[in-house]
Amino acid sequence: MSERWDPAAFKARVDEVLRQFVAAEAEQLSAVDPLLAPVAGQLEATVADGKRLRSAFCYWGWRAVGQPDSDALVRAAAAMELVHAAAVVHDDLIDDSPLRHGRPTAHIALRGAVRRRPRAVVAARSLAMLVGDLLMSLAGQLFATSGLPAAYLARARPLWSLLARDLIAGECLEILRTGTPPDTSASLKVIRYKTAKYTVEQPLLIGAALAGAGERLRQGYSAYGLPLGEAFQLRDDLLGLFGDPARTGKANTDDVRGHRPTALLAETWRLADDRDRERLAALLGRRDLDEEGLAEVRAVMRDLKAPDRIEVMIGERVDEALTVLDTLNAPAPATAALSALARSAAIRLS
């Protein structure tokens, strides 16, 4: 791979690893019984899309230590995308989201496999849960069989349990805080554990551990990765409500209908007066929320300039991450790539 960061070329490499690996696993699953074909098909569908940011951060966590490009490392980095795929399946299931990348989510798509069964909706949700579980298992398998030396893999292995624990902690916190009075600090804690850590910080740290990085660089990765991961999710909050569904591939109503503890909602609540809070309270959490109700929520947010406040928070976090990056003394290609990744993670339309 060229020293110059080429996101499209890297994505193609990761896509090919995932396609081959998951196709082989799906084939073995289908071989157990033809009845499993829809489940195997959904397994493949979960990795068909994605920006591959998590694998990119893992890759450059390795390269910034001075290690060379490596196909084995790309395979190990691709395992981060299987973690993400598992998290997405479970998250969509928990939130009852109907769309992802413009297509039915796993628990919706799998209804076709159980259409004539008793309690078909519950059965489809159960199948989706198991698809997510299998994806997380496959992530560990791909990582362990990446082709990297056993000693390298052993250095990173403890980080896998930390990644899973933090991800589950964040998901649990979101569930526990859903429907509670909005609070920005609490929302940012959910963001940090549910998204920021497994999207940026932990892939970087796993790449660093594989490469044998020292303590100073690892600390720098955390100082760069956490604010950047928060910026990524803050952008996601804005896109979730104000983005174009044709670009985001997700429904705009999910966060409001679910009364989720987003920082955007928390900042809106903080800035609102009693009259605005009364208007919001009548709309948040309504499963029958229509476009008119959604437009009213957006109007309140815009009047209070809550989206502008989130934009400021995103900018502050990107600046913080880039300032840390300048102190790491990483090789120039790694610094350039991590700088470009910071901007692409926080400034995007989908």
Side-chain angles (χ1 to χ4, degrees), residues 106-126:
H107 64 282
I108 301 296
L110 285 165
R111 288 181 185 178
V114 290
R115 188 177 297 115
R116 296 178 179 83
R117 309 295 197 281
R119 303 180 69 214
V121 171
V122 174
R125 294 176 66 86
S126 298

Side-chain angles (χ1 to χ4, degrees), residues 8-24 47-48 52 74-75 78 142:
F10 180 78
K11 181 181 182 307
R13 292 174 74 185
V14 174
D15 284 348
E16 184 60 17
V17 169
L18 292 172
R19 186 192 65 77
Q20 291 188 15
F21 178 77
V22 177
V47 297
R52 310 314 185 199
V74 171
R75 284 179 60 81
L142 178 57

Side-chain angles (χ1 to χ4, degrees), residues 38-114:
V39 180
Q42 195 56 40
L43 196 68
E44 292 187 89
T46 61
V47 297
D49 299 288
K51 300 175 185 66
R52 310 314 185 199
L53 284 174
R54 293 157 187 83
S55 52
F57 283 118
C58 183
Y59 176 85
W60 286 105
W62 161 277
R63 292 292 305 277
V65 183
Q67 293 281 13
D69 178 61
S70 158
D71 287 339
L73 188 279
V74 171
R75 284 179 60 81
M80 302 296 103
E81 303 300 333
L82 293 177
V83 171
H84 177 53
V88 163
V89 170
H90 286 150
D91 195 50
D92 288 340
L93 183 60
I94 291 165
D95 294 338
D96 202 22
S97 298
L99 291 173
R100 175 76 62 167
H101 297 299
R103 294 194 298 272
T105 48
H107 64 282
I108 301 296
L110 285 165
R111 288 181 185 178
V114 290

Side-chain angles (χ1 to χ4, degrees), residues 61-248:
W62 161 277
R63 292 292 305 277
V65 183
Q67 293 281 13
D69 178 61
S70 158
D71 287 339
L73 188 279
V74 171
R75 284 179 60 81
M80 302 296 103
E81 303 300 333
L82 293 177
V83 171
H84 177 53
V88 163
V89 170
H90 286 150
D91 195 50
D92 288 340
L93 183 60
I94 291 165
D95 294 338
D96 202 22
S97 298
L99 291 173
R100 175 76 62 167
H101 297 299
R103 294 194 298 272
T105 48
H107 64 282
I108 301 296
L110 285 165
R111 288 181 185 178
V114 290
R115 188 177 297 115
R116 296 178 179 83
R117 309 295 197 281
R119 303 180 69 214
V121 171
V122 174
R125 294 176 66 86
S126 298
L127 289 174
M129 178 184 67
L130 294 168
V131 167
D133 292 347
L134 181 54
L135 284 163
M136 186 63 86
S137 173
L138 293 178
Q141 181 184 338
L142 178 57
F143 188 80
T145 60
S146 62
L148 288 171
Y152 289 26
L153 295 172
R155 291 195 294 247
R157 192 168 294 120
L159 294 175
W160 274 83
S161 59
L162 178 62
L163 182 156
R165 183 172 68 245
D166 286 346
L167 177 55
I168 290 171
E171 197 71 70
C172 289
L173 281 174
E174 183 178 62
I175 293 168
L176 292 166
R177 293 201 178 279
T178 291
T180 62
D183 177 88
T184 301
S185 295
S187 293
L188 289 173
K189 188 170 190 178
V190 171
I191 282 173
R192 175 163 288 208
Y193 281 88
K194 183 189 170 189
T195 303
K197 283 179 168 288
Y198 99 90
T199 297
V200 185
E201 183 202 23
Q202 286 160 337
L204 279 167
L205 290 175
I206 287 172
L210 290 169
E215 179 64 21
R216 180 181 174 278
L217 185 58
R218 295 198 302 272
Q219 289 178 352
Y221 279 168
S222 290
Y224 161 90
L226 285 173
L228 182 57
E230 289 179 3
F232 176 88
Q233 184 57 45
L234 289 169
R235 174 64 61 200
D236 222 46
D237 288 352
L238 281 176
L239 290 171
L241 195 53
F242 292 96
D244 179 1
R247 286 181 176 271
T248 65

Side-chain angles (χ1 to χ4, degrees), residues 99 238-246 248 250-257 289 291 294 298:
L99 291 173
L238 281 176
L239 290 171
L241 195 53
F242 292 96
D244 179 1
T248 65
K250 294 185 282 189
N252 283 129
T253 54
D254 283 359
D255 288 347
V256 179
R257 282 179 176 169
L289 186 78
E291 283 299 321
L294 184 61
R298 287 178 177 142

